Amino acid sequence: MEDPAITAFTQQLEINPGDWFIRSHLAGLLEAQGDLHGAAEVILAAPAMPVAADHMLAAVRILTPVNPAAALPYLQLLGQLGAAAQAAPVARPVVPQVPEVPEVPVAAEFSAVAAVPEEGVRAGWDEPVPLAVAGEVHLTEREKPKFSLSKFALVVGAHVGLLLVGAIWVISETKINKKDELKFDAQPPRVSAARGTENAVKMAKKKSSSSAPAAAKRVLAKNSLSSIALPEIKTSSPLTDVGNVTPGMGGSGLGMGFGGLGGNGPGGTGMGGGGRGRFMGALSIDSRCTKGDRDKRIATAGGLPETERNVLRALTWMKNRQNPDGSWGSGNRASMTGLCLLGYLGHCEVPDSSKEYGETVLKGITWLVDLWMKKEFLSESDRASNSAPYEHGIATYALAEAYSMTRYGTQRIPNLREAVMGSIDVIVKGQDSEGGWNYGYGAPTGGGPDMSVSGWQIQAMNAAGHTGMDFPGMPEAFKKAIVYVQNSQSDNGAFGYRGKNGASYGMTGVAGLALIVGGQERGKELRRGTDFIREDWGRRRAPFEYDSPDAHLYGSYYINQVSFMQGGKMWRDWNKALQEELLPNQKEDGSYKEEGGAMGAHGSGAAGPDAEIYRTALCTLMLEVYYRYLPATEKLGGGLGGD
């Protein structure tokens, strides 16, 4: 049950974000509950530094065990305040005469408004503040912090010592081991694949004993403190400057040239996906990181209680299917590993905070990073092959999202930054003159830009835009790619496989997601595309049919995202079919049974020996839509009202 005091303080802080009196007490309540990361986020989200010594002390106490470096500015302020206090006589604060205010228990703040005077002055404050606001919490005189210069000096000394101990611990944990040649700087050196994996996993196991369990690292739900997030060191990116759109981390699909195109040219049809939404880092106020808010989003958006059960069963199944080296699959390991990682990241499972899946995620990320260090490409296939650009795009997407979600944690994955930077560079340089991408990244057998291949590169760049890093040429490549998508629409509203040729249901889903992440969700192209999708539903028994030859699982994944973003009747119709068709088709072990039409060019059977992993990861990502994204309308649950 949510603490009423935390709720009340949160509401007040949203109204008065600069009030350190409220901020320090809210952080203290979270600290008392064992939520050290949540308390630290409350402190770091302040728009300005505190001016009162007790608030500075509270900041140092709360930040030191979580992030010692972040506590330093507050210690400096304390030192300046102490020096000023010794240089000047201490002035007693003038306490205005105010009417006596009866003590009101915190738990009764909503019912005791009538007992509080309409106006009053808090002791030691210069200006009167309104006290009769429904829902506001007022502390009694006994609860208000007192400041004593002598106590201040003692506490400062104690916290300086604590900070030094914390700094020594951090240094000792990240100290360079010459034998392993690990460095965590802006330009990390290369390490061998086997050594990188071994060291990263050793680090995770070593820290697991001192890290708080997932429950203890709970952060505030979005509906209780939506404005708070850790400050980010990031550069501006045109990918995030798209009007009213808030780009975010999308989902995933699979694109493979496994032979057989289904009538759209040489090679194989790609399978892929993406998404748009509000993404926040692993230690920011990300509502999907709390079970309660995930459940609320599922219920509000029309999901069923079984949704989370299916997701967790699938994540456990994937954990048990992970290869010893950290990868997944056998035929196309880079793409399978990327898909599975996106499923874990979509559920907010990261090395730092996930007790159940943390090591699984760490091993998967490290395997992809090691692959990059060996080949400077994220596929074990030749670059000129049909499957290579799909694999590279999927894996880049996963690494970029992993970087964004882990950069605030204590885990430092060697060479992750370098892998993300280099992988995006491959994508930018592989773009063709029309703005799209093709098989082999422009190899002679490429045959021109391909919507399915391009969809993955767009999603990877969108994810990279949230890492806070600068990627040479990427903003221009991203804009050019959206123009390519817009130019690929046929007269009936569908989007083509190559240009306007081969227009289909699945490619319209790919294009729809690309337009949304590109800020074109109000454009005529997306409107005409969604009209085509809904018209196509008219010839089916339901928009999504798992056992039908038209199951089109990868296309359904795309359209799942587009429908959620569009909201209204489109989402209600799709979601009803999704719940009725997808949930019952999960097997007891957590995997998903073969869908209808699986052996066609567009089915999961195209992944060959990796079909079961591909299918399960894709279905899991579909069920994470309720909390992984916010709809284009910014309404919870896909804009259930209206059409």
Side-chain angles (χ1 to χ4, degrees), residues 429-484:
K429 292 178 179 177
Q431 187 176 36
D432 75 356
S433 60
E434 295 182 47
W437 287 262
N438 55 37
Y439 296 125
Y441 281 124
T445 57
D450 175 326
M451 180 66 71
S452 185
V453 174
S454 300
W456 267 109
Q457 319 311 309
I458 292 171
Q459 296 304 311
M461 290 192 295
N462 181 55
H466 293 270
T467 63
M469 297 187 288
D470 278 327
F471 297 91
M474 188 177 76
E476 296 78 11
F478 188 84
K479 292 177 181 178
K480 189 176 179 180
I482 300 305
V483 173
Y484 156 73

Side-chain angles (χ1 to χ4, degrees), residues 252 254 310-319 321 328 336 339-344 546 553 557 582 585-587 589-595 604-605 607 610-624:
S252 59
L254 169 64
N310 280 38
V311 169
L312 290 172
R313 288 169 62 184
L315 294 180
T316 299
W317 180 86
M318 289 191 291
K319 173 183 175 180
R321 291 294 298 270
W328 276 271
M336 294 303 125
L339 284 170
C340 291
L341 281 176
L342 284 166
Y344 287 107
Y546 197 90
L553 198 57
Y557 169 76
L582 193 56
N585 282 290
Q586 186 181 43
K587 296 189 289 188
D589 63 2
S591 64
Y592 282 81
K593 74 175 190 179
E594 188 176 279
E595 80 278 18
S604 63
D610 299 330
E612 192 174 29
I613 294 173
Y614 163 67
R615 186 166 57 243
T616 299
L618 200 61
C619 291
T620 301
L621 287 161
M622 290 173 71
L623 290 179
E624 289 176 349

Side-chain angles (χ1 to χ4, degrees), residues 1-147:
M1 181 178 295
E2 190 172 9
D3 190 323
I6 290 178
T7 301
F9 272 106
T10 296
Q11 293 170 345
Q12 285 300 301
L13 192 58
E14 290 176 337
I15 297 171
N16 301 299
D19 191 338
W20 268 91
F21 181 83
I22 299 172
R23 187 174 296 277
S24 63
H25 280 84
L26 175 57
L29 286 172
L30 292 170
E31 181 189 32
Q33 289 191 353
D35 189 357
L36 299 183
H37 283 264
E41 289 169 9
V42 171
I43 295 296
L44 289 175
M49 300 292 281
V51 295
D54 55 311
H55 299 153
M56 298 176 198
L57 287 171
V60 171
R61 184 190 73 249
I62 290 169
L63 291 176
T64 297
V66 178
N67 189 346
L72 283 173
Y74 298 89
L75 273 176
Q76 293 172 350
L77 278 179
L78 282 169
Q80 295 170 6
L81 183 62
Q86 290 183 359
V90 179
R92 294 180 177 272
V94 177
V95 182
Q97 298 296 319
V98 297
E100 182 177 354
V101 180
E103 295 185 357
V104 181
V106 171
E109 71 274 12
F110 295 106
S111 61
V113 174
V116 183
E118 293 184 1
E119 293 289 329
V121 178
R122 291 176 181 158
W125 288 34
D126 296 326
E127 298 179 0
V129 295
L131 297 178
V133 178
E136 185 173 3
V137 174
H138 305 287
L139 301 181
T140 66
E141 287 299 316
R142 290 197 304 272
E143 293 171 311
K144 294 176 181 176
K146 305 294 191 298
F147 176 64

Side-chain angles (χ1 to χ4, degrees), residues 19 59 61 93 120 130 172 237-238 242 257 288 293 310 324 393 428 430 455 505 517 525 527 529 578 627:
D19 191 338
R61 184 190 73 249
S172 67
S237 168
V242 285
R288 64 185 162 143
D293 204 79
N310 280 38
V428 170
Y505 181 79
V517 301
E525 293 88 358
R527 176 177 51 77
L578 182 74
Y627 42 78

Side-chain angles (χ1 to χ4, degrees), residues 96 101 105 127 175 197 205 212 319 387 391 421 426 453 467 617 631:
V101 180
E127 298 179 0
K175 184 176 181 180
T197 301
K205 291 181 177 179
K319 173 183 175 180
S387 63
E391 289 214 278
M421 290 288 293
V426 169
V453 174
T467 63

